[in-house]
Amino acid sequence: MDPLEVFKVEAPGEEYGEKKYREILLDILQDLGLVRSIGRLYVYADISKPYFAVFGLFRGALPPLLVRDIGDVAAAGDGFQIKVNDEEHLADLVRVLWERYGRDNVEQPDRDILTVISKDSPADIPVADLDREFRQDLTDALIRIAPEGFRNRMNEMKEDSFFFIAAEETLTSEMIAEVREKIRGMMNA
Amino acid sequence: MLDPVMYTGGVYKHDLIMELVEDLGGYLLQKNVTQSEVILLLLIPSDDMPIMAALAKELRGELVRAPLAGTEVAVVTPTLAIHHLPHSACDVAEYLRRHGAKSNMVGLARGVGREIAQINEYETDLVNEHDACVFMFGNFVQCIVEKGPLYRNINVPVVVTGGPEIPKEKMPYAFEYVSSVGRISHRSKKANELANLDRIVAAVGRALDRARRDIEKDPLTTSPPRVMDAVREQVPEVQSSFSPLPIALNLNGCRIKLPYDEFHQAVSDVTFDEGMRLGDIATIRPSRMKRYILVRIKPESETGFVI
């Protein structure tokens, strides 16, 4: 079963390519952990032109990652202690705390323990912009997914959707308009 | 007639196998020691195979036929980018290796695209130094068919792989086309994927058989394993080469992994028991691969004798 709500791939005259590109897309999106953030995906490839396009709708923006999402914050001594549960963002957390409180006021007595000398709680400080990271990863994934020879690319990231097109020849406005029309047709089908 | 086999077993007493190979008049092509296990690629006289099998059984080792042993196969991909590696090109190269072939991966500089794909003279020459090659393409019919010019000038048999079913007539320059092996982005581990890799190995085997038949029509002056043995004995520097396989065998010669400029004269002066020099019965020239020494044994029709 597809983990996406809607997942359509069309490549006129290339039935096998259509089937295989479904697998490639899912493999790459799953490898990079992007599947859950994409709701609908439409892929249109015309190898006679040739070009390859992907249009997708996001499930919703990801909220920024706060200190309390990464670890447990508790008052201790002159300040606060953070017991880190998610080590993936530990480096980002240390950088943010240094910036906010200065290096002298941040200590790491243990691998997963950080102490901050401060009067105000660090619990609500944003550590990472997950939405931005997701969009960067998605761009990387799209470049991996598109056939390698298609090196003229356009990537349009919007609030709630993205549109990616790659071609061998120079991209023209007519080509882009044609692809948009095809994808609109797929959405309305 | 020598049979190519692969012995896998413990390091303990594996020298008995090597001694037996020598006694039977066979050849040791490659030896890989991985911690407590050893893998030996051997050529054994067909008639003596039961003796070898009995010793392998006694040592609790495994002796299997390696039909591609003693050959070099190039696995050619449009580039060495993430689109082709590690899946599926590495899967194919590794599978060929398991069947005894020495596989080399070749990534073209500008092999991508449908209309812009090209191969240069250096790449063509490099692939031509192998015994066969596998060109790995993707999932679209048009792209696979239109990439024919990439392997038009390759002299060795070309096995083309791709996803869709395509009639062979559409690829006049290919020796064989193996379908269902297009672009994939996961490791080949399902039964049907492994079966596809088996089909590639079988196609390469058929390509090599044809090359062997061609050679039999005009036999080589001496066999490549014999050249390998003589070079190993008379050019000791080859033992200190850092390559995992200092002498790679081909069907019609071998590649000696020593710098051409320094060692080609020493290789040329290698003498056989019959009194002939290697330089007299073979062409010795620089290889396109890192300027190693490439030995191509002349056929009987050129030298007038077989030793």
Side-chain angles (χ1 to χ4, degrees):
Chain A
M1 199 184 80
D2 287 339
L4 298 155
E5 290 163 25
V6 180
F7 184 16
K8 287 186 185 173
V9 183
E10 263 186 38
E14 298 278 358
E15 290 77 24
Y16 186 89
E18 264 180 31
K19 199 176 80 185
K20 275 293 164 189
Y21 259 85
R22 285 183 80 86
E23 287 177 22
I24 292 171
L25 264 147
L26 279 179
D27 276 340
I28 294 177
L29 292 178
Q30 271 165 352
D31 273 358
L32 295 173
L34 304 172
V35 169
R36 278 183 298 169
S37 304
I38 300 170
R40 299 174 185 194
L41 203 58
Y42 301 90
V43 180
Y44 187 83
D46 192 340
I47 298 304
S48 59
K49 300 284 194 302
Y51 60 67
F52 179 90
V54 187
F55 175 78
L57 289 169
F58 300 130
R59 278 191 206 271
L62 295 164
L65 192 74
L66 306 179
V67 174
R68 65 179 136 90
D69 299 327
I70 298 174
D72 305 323
V73 183
D78 298 338
F80 292 86
Q81 187 190 57
I82 306 165
K83 162 88 173 59
V84 179
N85 299 322
D86 174 15
E87 283 193 23
E88 189 189 341
H89 290 94
L90 183 57
D92 289 328
L93 175 64
V94 173
R95 183 179 46 77
V96 166
L97 294 176
W98 280 351
E99 279 170 14
R100 173 68 72 97
Y101 302 106
R103 288 197 179 212
D104 294 342
N105 296 322
V106 180
E107 275 190 24
Q108 189 173 7
D110 210 343
R111 177 176 155 162
D112 57 346
I113 304 283
L114 285 162
T115 57
V116 180
I117 301 169
S118 163
K119 282 183 182 149
D120 51 317
S121 167
D124 292 324
I125 301 173
V127 176
D129 186 349
L130 291 184
D131 204 48
R132 203 173 122 253
E133 281 180 17
F134 162 72
R135 280 159 199 264
Q136 278 174 352
D137 287 349
L138 180 63
T139 306
D140 177 37
L142 290 168
I143 292 169
R144 279 198 210 179
I145 290 164
E148 203 196 349
F150 295 9
R151 293 193 167 163
N152 295 307
R153 308 181 192 113
M154 189 194 83
N155 189 13
E156 199 178 80
M157 284 277 175
K158 288 189 179 167
E159 192 70 17
D160 57 348
S161 68
F162 67 93
F163 175 66
F164 174 86
I165 176 167
E168 254 188 58
E169 301 296 334
T170 311
L171 292 170
T172 58
S173 48
E174 293 80 36
M175 188 191 281
I176 294 168
E178 184 191 321
V179 175
R180 282 187 197 278
E181 189 54 43
K182 295 279 185 196
I183 286 177
R184 210 169 295 131
M186 285 169 75
M187 290 171 80
N188 296 331
Chain B
M1 175 79 180
L2 295 169
D3 264 351
V5 287
M6 188 188 287
Y7 170 81
T8 314
V11 173
Y12 177 66
K13 281 192 178 177
H14 81 277
D15 47 332
L16 292 180
I17 296 272
M18 287 158 63
E19 276 172 25
L20 183 61
V21 171
E22 208 170 292
D23 295 345
L24 296 175
Y27 296 98
L28 169 70
L29 303 182
Q30 193 177 355
K31 175 181 166 182
N32 274 339
V33 181
T34 49
Q35 294 194 342
S36 60
E37 197 170 73
V38 66
I39 299 168
L40 304 174
L41 269 181
L42 311 164
L43 288 177
I44 312 279
S46 311
D47 300 340
D48 300 323
M49 196 55 81
I51 306 171
M52 180 54 80
L55 180 61
K57 195 177 172 192
E58 195 186 317
L59 296 177
R60 303 283 187 274
E62 194 189 4
L63 197 67
V64 290
R65 215 181 120 74
L68 309 183
T71 62
E72 236 186 344
V73 180
V75 178
V76 187
T77 54
T79 62
L80 287 178
I82 195 165
H83 296 74
H84 317 283
L85 302 169
H87 322 294
S88 51
C90 289
D91 295 343
V92 172
E94 173 57 23
Y95 219 69
L96 289 169
R97 227 168 272 150
R98 280 191 203 176
H99 287 79
K102 164 84 177 70
S103 63
N104 294 319
M105 312 233 2
V106 180
L108 303 181
R110 293 171 197 278
V112 296
R114 195 196 67 177
E115 284 163 14
I116 54 174
Q118 44 183 293
I119 185 168
N120 63 29
E121 194 192 343
Y122 167 75
E123 290 161 344
T124 308
D125 285 351
L126 185 61
V127 175
N128 277 336
E129 284 183 10
H130 294 77
D131 296 304
C133 62
V134 181
F135 268 73
M136 304 202 59
F137 295 141
N139 291 327
F140 294 118
V141 180
Q142 282 187 43
C143 294
I144 298 169
V145 171
E146 289 185 26
K147 279 188 174 175
L150 285 189
Y151 51 88
R152 188 172 50 199
N153 292 327
I154 305 284
N155 302 327
V156 295
V158 179
V159 174
V160 177
T161 71
E165 292 288 340
I166 306 173
K168 170 72 182 60
E169 304 80 66
K170 288 194 173 178
M171 283 175 278
Y173 309 117
F175 172 78
E176 226 168 277
Y177 172 69
V178 181
S179 62
S180 308
V181 195
R183 187 183 156 196
I184 52 168
S185 34
H186 57 260
R187 208 182 122 210
S188 301
K189 53 188 171 187
K190 293 181 196 153
N192 62 333
E193 291 165 345
L194 295 179
N196 289 335
L197 294 179
D198 281 331
R199 283 166 57 219
I200 296 178
V201 171
V204 172
R206 284 191 288 276
L208 293 170
D209 283 345
R210 191 187 72 172
R212 285 193 187 102
R213 278 198 301 278
D214 288 348
I215 290 173
E216 272 171 23
K217 286 176 196 160
D218 187 6
L220 299 176
T221 306
T222 188
S223 69
R226 193 170 172 204
V227 172
M228 178 184 74
D229 243 19
V231 171
R232 251 190 217 156
E233 210 172 280
Q234 297 175 40
V235 187
E237 289 86 352
V238 81
Q239 306 288 358
S240 51
S241 164
F242 287 121
S243 296
L245 188 62
I247 303 179
L249 282 190
N250 298 135
L251 291 176
N252 58 350
C254 58
R255 181 184 291 110
I256 301 161
K257 292 171 182 171
L258 287 173
Y260 176 83
D261 298 323
E262 268 178 77
F263 291 100
H264 78 278
Q265 196 53 51
V267 170
S268 187
D269 290 340
V270 166
T271 315
F272 295 93
D273 295 342
E274 292 84 349
M276 283 83 180
R277 283 170 63 252
L278 182 59
D280 299 332
I281 61 163
T283 315
I284 294 163
R285 60 171 200 258
S287 165
R288 284 294 207 162
M289 187 187 288
K290 299 185 186 174
R291 214 174 154 76
Y292 288 142
I293 302 168
L294 191 70
V295 178
R296 287 287 172 256
I297 304 166
K298 291 176 188 168
E300 188 188 0
S301 59
E302 265 185 64
T303 55
F305 57 87
V306 172
I307 57 171

